[in-house]
Amino acid sequence: MSAGSVALIVPSDFGVADLYELGVPAAVFGTPQPDLADPWYELWLCGTGSRTRDTKPGFTLHSTHGLDDVVRADTVIVSWVPDEVIEDNAPVPPELVSALRQAHDNGARIVSACVGAYALAEAGLLDGKRATAHWMHTALLAERYPKVQVDASQLYVDEGDVLTSAGMSAGLDVCLHLVRRDLGAHVANQLARRMVVPGHRPGHLGQFVDLSVPETDELGLAPVLDWARARLDEPLTIDDLARRAAMSPRTFYRRLQATTGTTPLQWLLNERITRAQVLLESTDLPMEKVAALSGIGTANNLRHHFLKQVGQSPGDYRRTRR
């Protein structure tokens, strides 16, 4: 299965603040992983101005392609609009808008991170659709583009051929989501493991995490979550997880939600859906067996939750991934 070409828009007024949001998709799609999928993605750095530009404090970036190449890509990612678009209500550069429209008309999947959603909205690609951006910019996005159904609470929103995501780390979430869509759960999980990040954060998780919770494993949650992943086919409860973590159920519930942004039961369901995806991709097991091994119970339950979480039936998912 070919992963396709990814055009990453590189702004002409590139600054050091853009390094992260450009570096994330570059790392995901621009680093070959031949043991996971061969061929991997083909990354194009598509500059909006000069092919070579300097940044502060002293970085130099050479873009390999221009906006004229964007229209040929399978996937287009934009995480930038000029500062004056946000600060002074200036128009989005018309050459960028035109490139996005042509790429979309040619069948490309268009993806934004952070304020890149303004470019997609200006191109009319978000009209009548749900979308998100960094929470600091969603109110202005909704005001300027009333046809867009802006949801500030989402990490990312997948509308099929158009995806939007919040800023910074949510860009990594949507990139891994694309890999999951294109190459399957196993590849996405292995890639996330190599990048030392969570394998899957669903887009509906909130953009806010309780900052009073330390970002280390001092809470001891990682061992109990690994323990649970090894027993997804068992009837696990919050009490089981809390007892394993040596916490009260209330404390475990609060700490897991603060750390991961989701509840224990939703976390279990997310992990079980991921397990089902891997089984559907890698085995010919009947649906009842997939449901049992993933801990979802019956084939009917598997179909219900799979449609809700993934947007496809288990059978359709298996056919498109095998």
Side-chain angles (χ1 to χ4, degrees):
M1 181 187 299
S2 174
S5 55
V6 177
L8 177 59
I9 305 295
V10 179
S12 57
D13 58 345
F14 181 84
V16 70
D18 302 294
L19 281 173
Y20 185 88
E21 284 168 346
L22 291 174
V24 163
V28 171
F29 301 113
T31 305
Q33 309 284 344
D35 59 320
L36 296 182
D38 193 13
W40 193 248
Y41 295 87
E42 182 180 357
L43 180 68
W44 304 343
L45 299 180
C46 296
T48 60
S50 169
R51 293 292 177 91
T52 302
R53 69 288 315 276
D54 295 324
T55 72
K56 298 178 181 180
F59 295 98
T60 300
L61 181 70
H62 176 71
S63 56
T64 56
H65 296 71
L67 283 181
D68 53 335
D69 296 301
V70 169
V71 300
R72 302 186 291 108
D74 297 306
T75 300
V76 180
I77 301 177
V78 54
S79 60
W80 160 91
V81 291
D83 292 342
E84 54 266 27
V85 172
I86 308 299
E87 298 171 1
D88 303 320
N89 201 30
V92 178
E95 62 273 16
L96 174 59
V97 173
S98 176
L100 293 177
R101 285 175 178 161
Q102 290 182 58
H104 186 260
D105 290 344
N106 289 342
R109 178 174 57 187
I110 313 296
V111 185
S112 71
C114 197
V115 295
Y118 284 76
L120 274 61
E122 185 66 28
L125 304 183
L126 299 180
D127 288 355
K129 296 180 179 179
R130 295 169 54 248
T132 194
H134 192 288
W135 62 269
M136 293 178 65
H137 304 294
T138 48
L140 181 60
L141 180 67
E143 178 183 346
R144 190 175 297 184
Y145 302 101
K147 294 182 180 180
V148 181
Q149 302 171 25
V150 179
D151 189 341
S153 68
Q154 304 286 292
L155 285 178
Y156 57 87
V157 175
D158 183 346
E159 290 282 3
D161 58 348
V162 178
L163 299 89
T164 54
S165 67
M168 303 304 283
S169 61
L172 177 55
D173 291 317
V174 78
C175 286
L176 289 172
H177 173 71
L178 292 173
V179 174
R180 184 178 299 270
R181 269 183 49 173
D182 296 341
L183 301 174
H186 175 73
V187 172
N189 290 345
Q190 292 302 309
L191 179 61
R193 186 177 183 184
R194 293 176 183 184
M195 300 181 76
V196 199
V197 295
H200 180 46
R201 289 203 300 171
H204 61 77
L205 295 184
Q207 293 189 27
F208 303 98
V209 176
D210 183 359
L211 297 181
S212 65
V213 178
E215 296 181 359
T216 67
D217 189 38
E218 292 174 358
L219 300 178
L221 293 184
V224 71
L225 298 185
D226 288 341
W227 176 85
R229 289 188 185 97
R231 294 164 177 80
L232 292 175
D233 57 335
E234 300 177 10
L236 299 174
T237 66
I238 296 177
D239 287 345
D240 295 331
L241 298 177
R243 187 162 46 249
R244 183 74 184 183
M247 301 177 188
S248 70
R250 179 177 297 182
T251 297
F252 179 79
Y253 185 105
R254 184 178 67 251
R255 291 186 175 177
L256 181 69
Q257 186 170 42
T259 303
T260 67
T262 190
T263 66
L265 291 181
Q266 186 62 51
W267 181 87
L268 278 171
L269 179 58
N270 293 339
E271 293 294 324
R272 283 168 168 155
I273 290 294
T274 297
R275 172 70 59 80
Q277 288 177 301
V278 172
L279 291 171
L280 290 168
E281 294 166 12
S282 59
T283 75
D284 294 315
L285 293 171
M287 292 302 170
E288 288 288 350
K289 189 66 174 178
V290 171
L293 290 176
S294 58
I296 296 178
T298 66
N300 284 338
N301 281 344
L302 175 64
R303 179 179 177 81
H304 170 76
H305 290 297
F306 213 87
L307 279 169
K308 187 174 181 180
Q309 295 272 98
V310 182
Q312 286 182 294
S313 71
D316 287 343
Y317 183 89
R318 171 175 271 170
R319 281 188 290 273
T320 59
R321 294 302 189 280
R322 295 296 295 273

